[in-house]
């Protein structure tokens, strides 16, 4: 039996690169959900919006259909996708819009994206009505964090406690693990393994001359990792402002931006210009990683920062960093509050540049605190292992697909 997942993004419709998955949390979630559906003996299909051309592709054995659409008529676009889809439907995004749901369908909320203080009250009221509509017409809604569940309980009306099922996002804790525990049992390629030399992590395949030269340039190097998309909601602006201060104050600090960007976007162009003309550009790195390459970035990092401004569920990037034993500075937005306990397994701060910078300075200056928070972060991540996520989703899907 076919099972169709309806979403606004999966293949990279932002950049017309339809042969690859866009490197975001939503896309990774849908990919993993397809694997669970397949493990139950069914065939997943993905139907998505395309900002440019309609398309039909197969990505890693998943059949993907892209639909061109009018951004002002998203409900119409989802209705068209539903009319073409096969089998039971899972609405995997945009439930904050007034979609016209097919009967007996599932929904997913990946985090509240209307949690912007400046959003007009009438817009938030419209969103609340749309969420109530989803609760009235979907069989079940799966939420990735407690933030959405609390919103629905406070704002909407429903009588079945199981109408919303909380299944937090998860991490493969056997793959994303601290460098010191990676050991011989892992099947990572050599280029993903790292060793510590003089309090810094280095590529195993570097020559001794390269190591000595780089150590002379930046003794005691500390790398801060921003493992997010280059976008407003992910906090790229406060992160760039924080980087200006940190790079000027600490000559041993370098910052890596490891995330997708939409080519030609205003934010993307501003970020590229900032990097190109920065006085410390030699210590700014930027790379988009494939899903299975991100462990390289984590193993090279000493600190991770998740400075989300709005629209956050249980962040994959935060979970992966924690699972790798890296101390995390995170903003107190959305599902990040479910993951980080301030001072125990990371530092939780207000989503503004001064607070983010102060927390990063604290970790740069205190190696013992970095190690302590990283150790506790790893222990926390074990509670979010992906096997638990798969089991929880199977309990939802098995009765749904009968």
């Amino acid at each position: 039996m076919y099972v169709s997942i309806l979403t606004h993004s999966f293949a990279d419709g932002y950049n017309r690169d339809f042969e690859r998955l866009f490197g975001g949390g939503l896309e990774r979630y849908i990919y993993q959900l397809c694997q669970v559906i397949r493990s139950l003996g069914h065939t997943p299909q993905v139907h998505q919006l395309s900002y440019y051309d309609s398309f039909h592709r197969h990505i890693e054995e998943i059949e993907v259909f892209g639909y061109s659409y009018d951004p002002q008529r998203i409900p119409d676009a989802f209705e068209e996708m539903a009319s073409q889809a096969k089998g039971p439907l899972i609405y995997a995004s945009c439930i904050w819009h007034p979609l016209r749901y097919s009967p007996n369908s599932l929904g997913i909320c990946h985090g509240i994206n209307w949690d912007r203080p400046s959003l007009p009250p009438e817009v938030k009221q419209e969103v609340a009505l749309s969420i109530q509509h989803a609760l009235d017409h979907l069989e079940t809604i799966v939420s990735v964090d407690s933030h959405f569940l609390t919103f629905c309980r406070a704002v909407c009306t429903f009588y079945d406690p199981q109408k919303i099922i909380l299944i937090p996002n998860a991490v493969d804790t056997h793959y994303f693990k601290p460098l010191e525990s990676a050991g011989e049992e892992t099947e990572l390629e050599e280029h993903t393994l790292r060793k510590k030399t003089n309090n810094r992590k280095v590529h195993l395949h570097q020559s001794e001359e390269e190591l000595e030269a780089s150590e002379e340039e930046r003794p005691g190097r500390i790398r801060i990792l921003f493992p997010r998309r280059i976008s407003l909601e992910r906090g790229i602006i406060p992160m760039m402002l924080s980087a200006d201060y940190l790079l000027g104050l600490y000559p041993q600090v370098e910052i890596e931006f490891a995330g997708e960007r939409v080519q030609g976007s205003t934010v993307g162009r501003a970020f590229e210009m900032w990097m190109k003309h920065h006085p410390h550009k030699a210590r700014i790195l930027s790379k988009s990683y494939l899903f299975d390459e991100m462990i390289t970035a984590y193993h090279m990092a000493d600190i991770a920062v998740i400075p989300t401004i709005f629209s956050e569920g249980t962040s994959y990037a935060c979970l992966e960093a924690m699972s790798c034993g890296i101390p995390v500075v995170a903003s107190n937005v959305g599902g990040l509050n479910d993951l980080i306990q301030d001072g125990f397994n990371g530092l939780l701060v207000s989503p503004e540049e001064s607070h983010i910078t102060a927390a990063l300075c604290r970790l740069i200056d205190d190696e013992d605190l970095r190690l302590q928070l990283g150790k506790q972060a790893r222990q926390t991540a074990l509670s979010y292992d992906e096997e638990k996520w798969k089991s929880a989703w199977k309990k939802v899907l098995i009765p749904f697909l009968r």
Side-chain angles (χ1 to χ4, degrees):
M1 179 173 67
Y2 284 100
V3 180
S4 291
I5 299 174
L6 313 185
T7 180
H8 73 273
S9 177
F10 187 60
D12 188 358
Y14 298 103
N15 300 302
R16 283 183 171 165
D17 192 357
F18 305 131
E19 307 297 332
R20 63 182 286 271
L21 300 184
F22 190 72
L26 168 68
E27 294 78 12
R28 188 181 318 187
Y29 188 104
I30 293 173
Y31 176 81
Q32 292 175 332
L33 183 56
C34 286
Q35 309 315 308
V36 175
I37 291 169
R38 185 174 283 118
S39 73
L40 295 174
H42 304 291
T43 302
Q45 288 185 341
V46 175
H47 297 256
Q48 70 168 89
L49 305 183
S50 174
Y51 291 90
Y52 299 102
D53 313 311
S54 297
F55 64 88
H56 179 204
R57 297 287 191 279
H58 283 80
I59 300 179
E60 297 193 29
E61 300 182 351
I62 301 171
E63 192 170 18
V64 185
F65 300 85
Y67 299 74
S68 61
Y69 74 106
D70 180 348
Q72 303 302 315
R73 300 172 65 92
I74 287 178
D76 291 342
F78 269 79
E79 189 163 23
E80 181 185 0
M81 289 195 293
S83 70
Q84 300 298 319
K86 296 179 180 179
L89 304 184
I90 301 175
Y91 290 81
S93 67
C94 294
I95 66 170
W96 56 91
H97 289 278
L99 305 184
R100 295 180 286 274
Y101 298 103
S102 294
N104 307 312
S105 299
L106 290 182
I108 304 173
C109 182
H110 296 274
I112 289 178
N113 70 348
W114 56 93
D115 56 344
R116 285 168 275 179
S118 61
L119 204 64
E122 58 271 20
V123 174
K124 293 191 176 185
Q125 291 171 2
E126 290 173 1
V127 168
L129 291 174
S130 294
I131 298 300
Q132 181 66 64
H133 175 74
L135 287 166
D136 291 341
H137 291 87
L138 290 169
E139 287 291 302
T140 303
I141 298 176
V142 172
S143 175
V144 307
D145 64 13
S146 64
H147 199 34
F148 175 74
L149 180 59
T150 300
F151 172 87
C152 291
R153 286 173 172 168
V155 176
C156 301
T157 300
F158 57 100
Y159 300 99
D160 180 2
Q162 292 299 306
K163 190 71 175 186
I164 303 171
I165 298 177
L166 178 61
I167 305 180
N169 287 350
V171 60
D172 183 348
T173 59
H174 298 283
Y175 182 74
F176 289 100
K177 60 174 59 178
L179 178 65
E180 293 80 0
S181 64
E184 296 181 358
E185 75 276 9
T186 67
E187 297 179 356
L188 301 175
E189 297 293 333
E190 181 180 348
H191 75 276
T192 67
L193 297 178
R194 302 292 181 265
K195 65 179 180 179
K196 288 187 176 180
T197 301
N198 296 327
N199 194 36
R200 61 189 289 271
K201 304 182 184 79
V202 298
H203 288 272
L204 285 178
H205 62 253
Q206 285 180 293
S207 67
E208 291 300 320
E209 293 80 6
E210 289 174 324
L211 294 180
E212 291 174 1
S214 58
E215 197 60 43
E216 290 176 358
E217 292 171 1
R218 289 194 298 277
R221 184 223 68 162
I222 294 177
R223 178 176 290 187
I224 298 171
L225 177 66
F226 176 85
R228 318 301 328 266
R229 291 198 311 272
I230 308 303
S231 61
L232 286 174
E233 72 275 12
R234 295 299 176 237
I236 186 59
I237 301 302
M239 188 62 222
M240 289 161 62
L241 294 172
S242 182
D244 289 341
Y245 179 84
L246 296 172
L247 292 169
L249 183 62
Y250 297 99
Q252 77 274 30
V253 164
E254 61 186 29
I255 300 177
E256 179 173 17
F257 294 84
E260 295 270 12
R261 74 186 78 159
V262 178
Q263 298 298 328
S265 67
T266 301
V267 173
R269 289 197 303 268
F271 176 73
E272 290 169 4
M273 291 180 62
W274 175 78
M275 283 197 304
K276 181 178 180 181
H277 299 289
H278 202 283
H280 304 293
K281 61 184 178 182
R283 289 186 282 133
I284 300 174
L285 302 89
S286 177
K287 179 180 177 180
S288 294
Y289 291 84
L290 299 175
F291 293 158
D292 58 359
E293 294 176 338
M294 270 303 297
I295 193 169
T296 302
Y298 294 122
H299 280 175
M300 290 292 288
D302 300 280
I303 302 167
V305 57
I306 315 290
T308 306
I309 298 175
F310 63 91
S311 186
E312 185 68 83
T314 44
S315 163
Y316 279 116
C318 186
L319 281 170
E320 290 167 358
M322 293 172 71
S323 189
C324 287
I326 301 171
V328 176
V329 172
S331 56
N332 58 356
V333 172
L336 292 171
N337 294 304
D338 292 345
L339 300 177
I340 299 295
Q341 298 296 312
D342 185 46
F344 174 71
N345 58 3
L347 298 180
L348 199 63
V349 300
S350 177
E352 50 191 316
E353 181 272 327
S354 60
H355 292 263
I356 294 164
T357 300
L360 289 170
C361 287
R362 183 180 171 191
L363 290 182
I364 292 168
D365 293 333
D366 192 337
E367 180 183 8
D368 289 340
L369 181 60
R370 295 201 304 269
L371 294 174
Q372 174 191 338
L373 295 181
K375 180 179 178 181
Q376 295 298 118
R378 169 64 181 176
Q379 293 303 308
T380 303
L382 294 175
S383 302
Y384 291 86
D385 186 76
E386 70 173 10
E387 291 304 317
K388 297 180 181 179
W389 181 87
K390 292 176 183 178
S391 177
W393 254 110
K394 286 178 181 178
K395 290 179 181 178
V396 173
L397 288 171
I398 289 173
F400 173 65
L401 298 177
R402 282 178 183 160

